């Protein structure tokens, strides 16, 4: 099972360091960020399994960041807040955070909350599932969901997406795609691929506008880049 990646956004170095150490001693991998403006670009590059997000940060504050993340991802978020009084207001704002921890906290408490939130929000993926950010492809159920909403795909679209998600960032020629999905009774050749991809893109784009996950590589073919660009 791959190590769970936790992104810790906290501008107080001492707190950040302690949290990181505790997480790593508990078998997680932790990345630290101290500036609010760095968070969105970081998770677009690499989506963590959970984010611990302080509210008072230089640059964008935690609330703003949380709201922005929720526009494109359901990644679990635990907010850190300095004041108990802030907590009620925060929960009232319905930012979409999964949990809140008040400062001062014990690092052990943080680890316990991380475990609980991960257990609640991310049941261990079965090997018959392919995951990419908010996209879950289930081979057994023959079902694709984005942020828990089911996509209605044709057989060819489903098989194409499977091939893409199995090897993110690999560039496939049209011939690659035809031969890889032919085992699944792919109908049509060459430029028919283009129209399948066009339709697949349209369906993904309805759930994740502007993400452009399936990219055209001019003169070559296509590749699938999870959360690469955000318009
Ligand atoms: Ca802070």
């Amino acid at each position: 099972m791959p190590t769970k990646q936790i992104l810790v956004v906290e501008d107080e170095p001492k707190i950040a360091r302690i949290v990181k150490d505790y997480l790593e001693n508990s078998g997680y991998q932790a990345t630290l960020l101290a500036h609010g403006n760095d968070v969105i670009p970081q998770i677009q590059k690499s989506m963590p399994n959970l984010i611990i997000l302080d509210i008072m940060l230089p640059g964008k504050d935690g609330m703003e960041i949380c709201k922005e993340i929720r526009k494109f991802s359901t990644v679990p978020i635990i907010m850190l807040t300095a004041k108990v009084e802030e907590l009620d207001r925060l929960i009232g704002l319905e930012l979409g955070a999964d949990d809140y921890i008040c400062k001062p906290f014990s690092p052990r408490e943080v680890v316990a909350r991380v475990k609980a939130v991960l257990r609640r929000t991310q049941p261990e993926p079965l090997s018959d599932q392919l995951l990419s950010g908010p996209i879950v492809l289930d081979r057994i159920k023959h079902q694709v969901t984005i942020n828990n909403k089911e996509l209605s795909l044709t057989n060819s679209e489903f098989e194409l997406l499977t091939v893409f998600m199995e090897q993110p960032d690999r560039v496939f020629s049209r011939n690659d795609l035809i031969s890889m999905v032919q085992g699944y009774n792919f109908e049509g050749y060459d430029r028919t691929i283009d129209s399948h991809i066009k339709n697949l893109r349209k369906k993904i784009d309805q759930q994740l506008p502007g993400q452009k996950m399936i990219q055209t590589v001019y003169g070559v073919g296509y590749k699938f880049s999870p959360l690469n660009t955000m318009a």
Side-chain angles (χ1 to χ4, degrees):
M1 203 190 73
T3 311
K4 294 265 198 283
Q5 307 282 334
I6 316 287
L7 176 63
V8 180
V9 189
E10 165 64 79
D11 58 318
E12 289 158 74
K14 228 170 110 186
I15 298 180
R17 172 55 53 187
I18 292 171
V19 169
K20 182 176 158 79
D21 286 349
Y22 262 78
L23 286 169
E24 287 180 343
N25 288 336
S26 307
Y28 298 105
Q29 225 161 61
T31 307
L32 297 181
L33 283 181
H35 199 285
N37 294 359
D38 297 338
V39 181
I40 303 286
Q42 169 67 29
I43 65 178
Q44 280 169 358
K45 253 188 294 171
S46 161
M47 184 59 82
N49 296 100
L50 183 143
I51 301 171
I52 296 175
L53 185 56
D54 189 26
I55 288 177
M56 296 293 285
L57 291 166
K60 285 181 196 168
D61 72 26
M63 297 193 211
E64 202 181 333
I65 296 165
C66 185
K67 263 193 280 180
E68 261 182 64
I69 293 172
R70 279 296 172 260
K71 285 180 193 158
F72 65 94
S73 174
T74 54
V75 60
I77 300 174
I78 298 176
M79 307 281 289
L80 301 179
T81 165
K83 297 186 203 110
V84 186
E85 310 88 72
E86 247 177 27
L87 196 58
D88 284 344
R89 199 167 67 84
L90 275 179
I91 293 168
L93 285 175
E94 289 174 14
L95 298 171
D98 296 272
D99 205 353
Y100 301 86
I101 300 175
C102 284
K103 292 178 178 179
F105 51 75
S106 78
R108 212 167 299 161
E109 183 191 355
V110 175
V111 172
R113 298 284 192 97
V114 165
K115 273 188 193 151
V117 169
L118 282 176
R119 207 166 36 229
R120 199 171 74 217
T121 57
Q122 296 187 332
E124 290 309 321
L126 304 166
S127 58
D128 44 50
Q129 282 190 338
L130 291 171
L131 307 175
S132 177
I135 307 182
V136 181
L137 184 148
D138 192 315
R139 300 173 204 259
I140 303 296
K141 293 188 202 156
H142 217 269
Q143 185 193 59
V144 176
T145 59
I146 296 181
N147 292 326
N148 297 321
K149 271 189 208 125
E150 195 180 341
L151 248 61
S152 160
L153 300 182
T154 66
N155 221 27
S156 301
E157 290 159 6
F158 181 88
E159 304 307 347
L160 273 172
L161 186 58
T162 305
V163 168
F164 281 133
M165 285 179 70
E166 278 171 343
Q167 297 181 70
D169 289 319
R170 175 178 159 186
V171 179
F172 295 93
S173 70
R174 289 179 179 82
N175 279 337
D176 288 332
L177 292 172
I178 289 166
S179 62
M180 293 183 86
V181 296
Q182 223 162 24
Y184 309 108
N185 295 321
F186 189 81
E187 291 161 28
Y189 295 91
D190 216 77
R191 298 285 154 175
T192 330
I193 285 273
D194 293 349
S195 71
H196 288 309
I197 285 183
K198 199 177 130 200
N199 293 331
L200 181 57
R201 273 178 173 157
K202 208 187 293 171
K203 290 175 184 180
I204 293 175
D205 197 61
Q206 279 168 0
Q207 300 302 323
L208 299 169
Q211 292 278 3
K212 300 195 173 65
M213 298 178 97
I214 300 172
Q215 301 178 348
T216 305
V217 182
Y218 288 98
V220 188
Y222 296 98
K223 68 169 183 171
F224 178 79
S225 293
L227 293 173
N228 197 336
T229 47
M230 267 262 298

